[in-house]
Structures are given as C-alpha cells and as structure tokens.
C-alpha cells in the first residue's frame, strides 16, 4: 500500500482521505507524554474526527513490549473493534513502532495513520513500513512490514518538545543529505535550528527515505544505505545505555556518522572536509555533547551477532550522495576512526 | 512471495530448493503429537537436512496463544537464530498457523516450509498465507499474511492419523469441488476414503485454493468463496465446543455445507439434488455423526460481531462451480435450512 503524506495546511485532504475510507472506528494511540499538548492540538486541528477511543500507554522505549501490545489488544476487544478500524499513532518513533505493530496483527491488520511528534519521527520513523517491539531486551526483535495508510506532519507539534530531544532529530536529516544530495549538504553550512525543523527540510528528508524505500521495501539492498552512521552509532548508543549518561538515539547516530565518514575516507577516499564539517555541525548544535568512549567500550556491541569476528560490513559513503552498502571493514579500520 | 509446492516423489526438488536458499539454520516446529511418527518419517525422508533445533509445543488449539509464541521466540533467542533461518512446521493447521505467525514476526519475518500432517491441513490450511493465533479466546484474532516459502505434501504422514480426524478433512475438499468444478463433484459420487486421501484429490483441492487466493491475497473479494459452508459451520462448531460432544472443524463445516446448500436452493434455485447428495456423503462417510442442534442453539454465535441483526451476508452457490459472495440472507431463510 502507498502511504499518503499530508503536511501542515493539507488538513482537509487528510479529512477527505479518512472520510472516503469509511473506517468503522478511529482509535487514537498516545503515550503519557503526547497525551497532553499533542492530543489537544490534534483535537483542535481535526475537530470533526469522530474518535471512538483514546488508548494511552506508558512513555519510553522500555514499554515497547508484548505486554503493552496485549493491553492494547485487550482494549480493542473491549471496544469490539473490527478490521475496518484505523489507528492514529500520535507520538515519536516508539508510538508508531508499537502502534503499527499492534495494528498490523489485530484481525490480520488494520490501517494506521502516523502523526509524528518528534523531529526524529517526522524525518525518519513515521515512514517506511517497519513496525516493531523489543523482545528479551533486543530492539525490534519482533516486527512486521506494514506501511501506514497516511502520515500527517505539522511542526507545531514540536513546540513543547525538550530541546535536547528536538535536536537529536538533526542526525537522521543530516544522514539523508549525506547519502542523497550534495547541494542539500552544502545548504547545511548555514542551517539554523529553525531550518532543521522547517517543513522544507522535513519534506526533503522524507522524500529521500521514500525514494530509497520504494526501491527496496524489505531492506535487502539499497535500503541499507539508510543505515549509514548506524553500525557504529548503534553500538555507541547501546554502550551509553549502560552508563550513567545515556545518549539519545540521534546523538549516538551523530557520533556514528563522524566515525563512518572517517572510515569512508580510508576506504573510498572521501574528502576529509566532510568529516570535519560534520564535527563542526556537532559543535554548533550539540556543544554539550561530550560522551566519552573508546573502541574497547563499544566493541562487544559492535561485534554482537556478527558472524565474522575479523571485521564487519557496513554502509559507507563513496561521495556525497552516493552510499555503498555491505562494505567489508576491518577491525583495524574501525579502530583508526577512534 | 510465491509458494513452491512439492509432492511425494519430489523430495530432491525440495532439497535443492532449501540448499539454494542457504538458510543459516533449519528449525523444526512440531507438537507433542507430530513429534513422534511424523518427525521420524520426516527425518527418514530427508536424512541430509541439517536441522539446528527441534521445538516442540503442546498439542491442541488451546495452545495457539501468545504465551506459546513467546516460548518459541525465547528458544530462537537461545539458538541465536538470525533472519536467514527457516522454520519447518510439521503438523496440522494449528502448527502452520502458530509457526507461520511466530516466524512472520521474528526479526520481521523468516521463511517457513509447511509439512501438513492432517488431510485438512493438506487440502486447505497449509496454503494461503494466513497465519494466526487466538487471543482472548477469539480464533485467529491476531495474525499476519505471509505465504510459506514451500509446502511438502506426502500422504504417508496420514498413516497413523485417527480415522475421525482424517475424515474431517473431507469437508474442505468437498467444498473445493462445489465451488470450482462440476466434473470433480460428479466424481465424488463414487469416492472412497482412499480417493479422498489420494495425492490427486489433495492436489485438486490445493490447486483450487491456489487459483482463488492468487486473485485475492488479502481476502477482500473472491477469496470469500472459500468461506462457503463456513458461516453456519463456524457457528455450529462454536456451539458444539460448549457441549460435551464437541465437533471437529471439518465435521462442523460438513453440516454448515448442508445448511448453506439449502439456502442456495432458496436464493439461487440450486437443484435440491446437490444438498441431497451432500447428505448422502455425510451418511456414507460419517454414519456416526449425529450432533443435535437447533437454530436457537447457534444463533448467538451466528450473529456475533455482525452489525446487521436482521440478517447476515454469506457466500452461496449459484451453480456447481460458481459461488457468489456477500449474499444477503435473512434470519428467516437461515431458519428454514434447519
């Protein structure tokens, strides 16, 4: 199914879309955080939506579990929800992940609309059809591929977002520029916070992801370019979660991008100026981000579940706008990026 | 994904198929029943399969639950199973339902091969891509659409099957004849038990289902012809499960077919001879099937979750080989079939 994307000022189009589908019920899913400002704004923007029920789940990645799904499914049972209903997921990536997952299984799949409320979710998580929950503490260990029927993006929902969480969305947007467009990457020289959260920048990010996912729904080829920065970024994130100063996903990806740009220098002769500009962006927007780690700290997380203990494969940048996948990288080359 | 179907004597083709896919692990899933004769036969037929692990779950529909899935997923974690693994589901429809469901979610989906060990599973449940588990006692309340990569059918696996369970597979095969082919339906005049369990009859049934599913994967149109006999059949089945003489699924569908043939007479002028032959088949193969029920017994199950309390929609036969879907039937017309 194609996902219809509606932006701020296209509210009537989304209303028409929902009316045409004749859904039997509209179920809002929010977390303890978004069930405040965001749900209120939603109701103001869409006063004519007939919401059958609001399901509120606890906030935080630690609740992206099967138990919370069971709570959701129990509520659907109580509401006698049938398979013509629709979920509206209002929240960050956690809500679209678990809401999309729960919806994709109920009666073998009911539709979803994602309304992302963090920048990270707007530029990345809201689109792509990957749903998931954690199982045995392994991230997204269970999941499905099911595209949302629609997405609605309105930066007004970012208004009350904590600054640190807001900025953590920059990393995925920067990654999208790096793997897709040198002119966009050049524009980022002068980007301000407002530029990052502008509808134009969000739209560019989403369009990049849409173009890539369209070529590889199931993530077996070119979609892996979206993993640029994530092999090392995820390892840093996992390590940080065991320390007293855990990083946000986007912060860890920012650091991962710097490492993987350096490795791209060694393997593909990417100009050193790219990693240097990346470091400048980090200084400019994340002056307080000073997480300390060494290769030894993250190596266990990096090599986990990888078959070849002598090295790993990752996505790396050949030039701005051209990302290679499945590039073999030695442990030594990774160490040199530290 | 297309499902490859391999029959008895095509074992080498299945072996080639599996070898080409280079699966990282082969996981056998069986229940307490099939983990005996059937798993032994499987190992004799495929001695060169390198099975990483055998997961055995309790036997019976009451174990088609999220808790049992969690047990399966925990075992996969312990085995460090990655997303290039394959499940081989050895059992009846319960095993392919839950095995397919668990596999379709693990790491967002690993492949399955179904090896049906009941006639019902061979002619129906093994194919079609519907996976599912029960939730809050509602059948297949959670599920996914994921076609098995392959199916292997060998009637030798039926050899130790209880006769009552074996024969309960006849109903779906009869239904396939009714909705697809008058010549096949005519042949059934002289069918013996051996004819029903012959590879030829199984293949005809599967081919019927394959042809229909190919036109309507997600069950929004013509696939509903496969529900012929099931609207009333399911209601009889649900009622019987509350009595001391529960029916098997296929037995209830046999009774449902008789009712829905009678309703087809009233609505589409289907010749009365069809229902009469159906009753003859019931007498011939199920002489001991004498479950007593009235319309009042089953009406609650029939009208459950249906919006229109004045009547319901069902699939009905216009002529042999031509089944209509979504036909409005009044309560009175249903009552008259009793």
């Amino acid at each position: 199914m194609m996902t219809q994307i509606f932006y701020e000022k296209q509210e009537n189009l989304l209303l028409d879309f929902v009316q045409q589908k004749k859904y039997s019920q509209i179920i809002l899913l929010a977390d303890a955080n978004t069930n405040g400002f965001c749900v209120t704004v939603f109701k103001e923007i869409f006063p004519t939506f007939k919401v059958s029920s609001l399901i509120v789940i606890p906030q935080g990645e630690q609740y992206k579990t099967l138990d919370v799904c069971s709570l959701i499914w129990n509520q659907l049972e109580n509401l006698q929800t049938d398979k013509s209903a629709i979920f509206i997921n209002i929240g960050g990536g956690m809500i679209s992940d678990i809401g999309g997952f729960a919806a994709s299984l109920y009666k073998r799949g009911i539709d979803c609309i994602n309304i992302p409320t963090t920048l990270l979710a707007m530029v990345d998580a809201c689109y792509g059809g990957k749903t998931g929950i954690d199982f045995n503490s392994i991230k997204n260990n269970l999941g499905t591929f099911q595209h949302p029927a629609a997405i609605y993006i309105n930066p007004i929902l970012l208004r009350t977002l904590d600054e640190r969480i807001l900025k953590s969305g920059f990393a995925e947007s920067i990654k999208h520029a790096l793997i897709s467009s040198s002119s966009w990457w050049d524009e980022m020289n002068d980007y301000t916070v407002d530029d990052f959260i502008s509808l134009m920048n969000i739209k560019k990010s989403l369009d990049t992801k849409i173009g890539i996912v369209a070529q590889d729904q199931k993530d077996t080829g070119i979609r892996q370019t979206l993993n640029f920065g994530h092999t090392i970024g995820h390892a840093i994130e996992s390590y940080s979660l065991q320390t007293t100063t855990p990083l946000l996903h986007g912060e860890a990806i920012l650091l991962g991008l710097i490492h993987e740009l350096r490795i791209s220098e060694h393997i593909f002769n990417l100009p050193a100026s790219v990693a240097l500009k990346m470091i400048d962006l980090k200084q400019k927007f994340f002056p307080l981000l000073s997480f300390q780690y060494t290769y030894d700290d993250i190596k266990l997380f990096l090599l986990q579940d990888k078959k070849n203990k002598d090295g790993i494969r990752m996505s790396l940048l050949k030039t701005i706008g051209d990302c290679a996948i499945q590039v073999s990288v030695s442990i030594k080359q990774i160490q040199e990026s530290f």
Side-chain angles (χ1 to χ4, degrees), chain A:
Chain A
M1 181 168 57
M2 281 280 295
T3 302
Q4 303 278 324
I5 304 187
F6 303 97
Y7 292 91
E8 185 186 3
K9 297 193 179 137
Q10 297 184 315
E11 290 73 18
N12 282 336
L13 296 178
L14 176 59
L15 274 170
D16 288 349
F17 175 85
V18 169
Q19 266 157 12
Q20 276 168 23
K21 294 274 191 171
K22 300 189 192 302
Y23 291 110
S24 58
Q25 291 184 341
I26 295 175
I27 316 278
L28 283 196
L29 182 75
D31 64 27
N33 245 353
T34 56
N35 181 31
F37 175 72
C38 293
V39 168
T40 305
V41 169
F42 168 81
K43 287 179 177 169
E44 282 171 12
I45 297 177
F46 298 105
T48 59
F49 263 123
K50 289 187 187 117
V51 173
S52 307
S53 188
L54 167 66
I55 299 178
V56 181
I57 62 174
Q59 191 269 326
E61 178 83 14
Q62 69 271 35
Y63 296 105
K64 219 174 83 175
T65 63
L66 213 46
D67 285 344
V68 173
C69 286
S70 290
L71 293 177
I72 294 171
W73 292 321
N74 275 320
Q75 294 209 41
L76 298 183
E77 280 308 310
N78 292 340
L79 293 164
Q80 298 195 290
T81 304
D82 67 15
K83 63 182 172 185
S84 315
I86 189 164
F87 257 49
I88 297 184
N89 301 313
I90 303 186
M94 182 275 186
I95 285 290
S96 55
D97 279 0
I98 192 171
F101 180 79
S104 72
L105 300 187
Y106 187 73
K107 310 281 184 199
R108 290 202 185 89
I110 63 177
D111 276 356
C112 277
I113 295 175
N114 287 340
I115 302 188
T117 62
T118 66
L119 183 63
L120 185 61
M122 289 183 186
V123 300
D124 186 18
C126 71
Y127 179 81
K130 285 186 182 178
T131 78
I133 58 168
D134 305 338
F135 185 77
N136 284 351
S137 302
I138 298 176
K139 274 188 78 162
N140 297 320
N141 204 5
L142 302 176
T144 55
F145 287 96
Q146 180 175 296
H147 284 284
I151 294 171
Y152 172 69
I153 292 187
N154 189 334
I156 197 178
L157 292 166
L158 303 174
R159 202 167 282 177
T160 60
L161 206 61
D162 172 88
E163 191 189 342
R164 189 179 161 202
I165 294 173
L166 180 77
K167 286 185 176 177
S168 80
F170 294 4
E172 298 289 357
S173 202
I174 293 170
K175 177 202 74 183
H176 284 135
L178 283 169
I179 65 173
S180 74
S181 161
S182 61
S183 60
W184 184 14
W185 171 245
D186 288 344
E187 286 168 25
M188 285 186 176
N189 288 329
D190 309 311
Y191 256 35
T192 61
V193 170
D194 283 344
D195 289 322
F196 270 112
I197 65 175
S198 69
L199 212 46
M200 202 177 69
N201 185 63
I202 294 168
K203 198 168 181 317
K204 273 186 183 173
S205 277
L206 260 190
D207 285 344
T208 302
K209 186 165 182 184
I210 290 166
I212 291 169
V213 171
Q215 300 169 62
D216 175 24
Q217 301 280 343
K218 290 290 180 86
D219 202 8
T220 57
I222 190 178
R223 187 164 176 173
Q224 292 169 22
T225 59
L226 293 170
N227 291 341
F228 180 56
H230 283 61
T231 305
I232 296 179
H234 270 151
I236 295 172
E237 182 181 11
S238 298
Y239 166 65
S240 82
L241 295 178
Q242 301 198 338
T243 69
T244 54
T245 52
L247 293 173
L248 295 172
H249 174 73
E251 293 169 338
I253 297 309
L254 197 83
L255 300 173
L257 284 169
I258 294 172
H259 286 281
E260 297 188 14
L261 284 171
R262 282 176 175 154
I263 299 169
S264 300
E265 281 173 29
H266 288 116
I267 293 185
F268 290 122
N269 290 314
L270 185 78
S273 56
V274 183
L276 291 175
K277 173 171 157 186
M278 189 72 218
I279 293 168
D280 284 346
L281 286 170
K282 171 176 170 288
Q283 300 299 346
K284 179 175 174 186
F285 293 107
F286 303 85
L288 302 176
L289 177 58
S290 62
F291 185 67
Q292 299 295 315
Y293 56 96
T294 65
Y295 172 74
D296 283 341
D297 290 331
I298 72 151
K299 71 178 176 192
L300 268 179
F301 300 99
L302 198 61
L303 302 177
Q304 209 170 32
D305 294 328
K306 305 285 177 189
K307 284 190 195 68
N308 186 353
K309 297 292 179 197
D310 303 324
I312 51 182
R313 288 170 178 275
M314 57 175 76
S315 303
L316 289 176
L317 219 54
K318 290 159 92 171
T319 59
I320 304 292
D322 185 7
C323 185
I325 63 168
Q326 297 277 345
V327 184
S328 284
V329 180
S330 69
I331 298 296
K332 188 161 169 290
Q333 287 168 320
I334 294 171
Q335 282 174 318
E336 283 171 358
S337 77
F338 277 75

